[in-house]
């Protein structure tokens, strides 16, 4: 597979099983992406296919068991515009001081499917990194996309959003997942 624009990556690929919280690769920092060749393109195509099959907003490579610092996104920004792309080696900047506005929003994770809870995060974030070709990128967004940047970069750093919750709320999140876990086989969303 040659280097491709996102529109091509969206057409190709095969949905992979999404691994669950507790799997070691989800709780350790990922390796930086240093090669932007065909192996990365294949991975990205599979990530887009997996995210689409799971009806997700974004997906980190670690969620399909690959220890690389890359995520894909396919969700709306603060004005409702659907945005789709790739960020390799992400770093997220969150507003500080008077510019920091926290928003409680119901959040979930494809690696703990069927469980959701409110989590306060800044309303906007700026994500810097590289695109699928290795070119530097910087994107500032709010809405689901701004939250996605924060959530997926947490994955890259070995953090699941449950790590940001108080103990009682985290335990409830696990109970909520357990109630519906039979709907999500070990191979979900791949069939």
């Amino acid at each position: 597979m040659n280097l491709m624009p996102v529109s091509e990556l969206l057409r190709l690929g095969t949905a992979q099983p999404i691994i669950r919280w507790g799997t070691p690769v989800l709780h350790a920092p990922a390796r930086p992406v240093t090669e932007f060749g065909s192996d990365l393109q294949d991975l990205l195509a599979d990530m887009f296919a997996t995210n689409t099959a799971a009806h997700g907003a974004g997906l980190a490579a670690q969620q399909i068991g690959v220890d690389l610092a890359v995520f894909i996104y396919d969700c709306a920004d603060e004005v409702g515009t659907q945005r789709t792309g790739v960020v390799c080696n992400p770093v997220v900047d969150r507003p500080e001081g008077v510019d920091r506005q926290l928003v409680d929003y119901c959040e979930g994770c494809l690696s703990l499917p069927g469980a959701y809870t409110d989590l306060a995060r800044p309303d906007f974030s700026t994500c810097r990194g590289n695109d699928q070709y290795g070119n530097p990128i910087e994107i500032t967004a709010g809405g689901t996309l701004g939250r996605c940047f924060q959530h997926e970069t947490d994955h890259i750093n070995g953090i699941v959003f449950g790590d940001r919750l108080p103990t009682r709320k985290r335990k409830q999140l696990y109970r909520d997942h357990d109630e519906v876990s039979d709907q999500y086989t070990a191979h979900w969303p791949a069939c």
Side-chain angles (χ1 to χ4, degrees):
M1 189 181 288
N2 297 323
L3 301 184
M4 287 180 273
V6 169
S7 60
E8 286 297 302
L9 294 171
L10 284 164
R11 289 186 329 100
L12 305 169
T14 303
Q16 302 296 311
I18 296 176
I19 62 173
R20 303 298 196 269
W21 289 6
T23 306
V25 71
L26 286 176
H27 302 280
R31 294 178 296 117
V33 175
T34 57
E35 299 291 325
F36 293 86
S38 61
D39 287 346
L40 177 64
Q41 305 302 303
D42 290 340
L43 172 64
L44 295 173
D46 285 352
M47 290 170 66
F48 275 115
T50 304
N51 188 62
T52 298
H55 306 289
L59 186 78
Q62 288 147 296
Q63 292 180 273
I64 59 169
V66 178
D67 175 26
L68 267 182
V70 58
F71 71 82
I72 58 94
Y73 59 90
D74 189 0
C75 56
D77 63 15
E78 70 279 4
V79 295
T81 301
Q82 191 72 14
R83 310 259 302 266
T84 306
V86 172
V87 182
C88 300
N89 307 318
V91 175
V92 166
D93 296 321
R94 296 165 185 91
E96 302 275 330
V98 296
D99 294 330
R100 184 177 173 95
Q101 301 288 325
L102 294 179
V103 174
D104 257 343
Y105 189 80
C106 189
E107 192 163 326
C109 181
L110 296 177
S111 289
L112 194 74
Y116 306 90
T117 193
D118 286 345
L119 176 65
R121 289 192 190 261
D123 60 343
F124 275 81
S125 62
T126 298
C127 190
R128 293 178 284 112
N130 305 96
D131 65 12
Q132 70 271 26
Y133 308 114
N135 300 318
I137 56 172
E138 181 175 310
I139 309 162
T140 299
T144 302
L145 181 58
R147 183 167 289 265
C148 180
F149 288 161
Q150 297 170 66
H151 181 109
E152 301 307 334
T153 300
D154 275 354
H155 275 306
I156 300 304
N157 293 318
I159 299 166
V160 296
F161 92 93
D163 296 338
R164 297 195 175 277
L165 297 171
T167 302
R168 181 176 290 160
K169 216 170 181 181
R170 185 173 49 251
K171 286 180 178 179
Q172 182 61 51
L173 192 69
Y174 277 111
R175 284 192 296 273
D176 293 347
H177 167 71
D178 289 345
E179 287 180 16
V180 296
S181 63
D182 60 336
Q183 298 173 34
Y184 302 96
T185 68
H187 300 288
W188 178 83
C191 295

